[in-house]
Amino acid sequence: MTIMNDQARKQAEDLQRQDEEVARWLEEEEKHVALEILHKSMEVKRKEDEVKRKEEDARLKDEAAHVKEEEIQRKEALAMGGGAALPGGRGDLDVLQLLPPLV
């Protein structure tokens, strides 16, 4: 009877050790999965930031092109004889009135 009890106790101890090993393995796997998720979310955030930066760059380039076009139109208007050629302009404008307002 003691032999059976000893065998049952050993089996129970082995099962307990296996359970503990599986629990440690699961904890490690959970950590790895959490790190992978963190890395992926950081990558997504970087890509979103990059897209936002490119959109802002495109907007600024468009705005700069618009300002440059306005500047060209002002210069052409001056070359044509004053402010009369400017959209909504009057012929009696002087050069200082053509400059953009100081901010």
Side-chain angles (χ1 to χ4, degrees):
M1 189 88 153
T2 34
I3 294 174
M4 290 178 93
N5 285 340
D6 286 343
Q7 286 177 343
R9 186 176 39 79
K10 278 188 171 188
Q11 284 178 343
E13 288 172 356
D14 286 344
L15 289 174
Q16 180 65 31
R17 262 193 303 276
Q18 288 175 359
D19 285 348
E20 290 170 359
E21 287 176 17
V22 168
R24 280 193 296 273
W25 179 82
L26 282 174
E27 285 179 25
E28 288 299 315
E29 285 300 308
E30 287 174 351
K31 288 177 187 177
H32 289 295
V33 169
L35 282 174
E36 285 181 35
I37 291 170
L38 177 62
H39 286 229
K40 292 291 182 183
S41 65
M42 290 171 61
E43 185 178 328
V44 167
K45 176 71 173 137
R46 271 194 306 272
K47 287 182 180 183
E48 287 173 346
D49 290 346
E50 184 178 332
V51 167
K52 286 178 185 176
R53 192 173 351 97
K54 286 181 180 181
E55 287 173 348
E56 180 66 11
D57 288 348
R59 187 189 65 77
L60 290 174
K61 284 180 183 179
D62 185 52
E63 188 175 311
H66 181 68
V67 168
K68 188 168 185 138
E69 180 63 31
E70 286 178 351
E71 183 179 317
I72 290 169
Q73 288 177 358
R74 284 186 186 136
K75 286 180 181 179
E76 288 174 350
L78 282 175
M80 295 171 110
L86 289 176
R90 298 182 307 261
D92 60 344
L93 292 177
D94 63 26
V95 174
L96 292 177
Q97 291 172 314
L98 296 175
L99 295 176
L102 297 175
V103 179

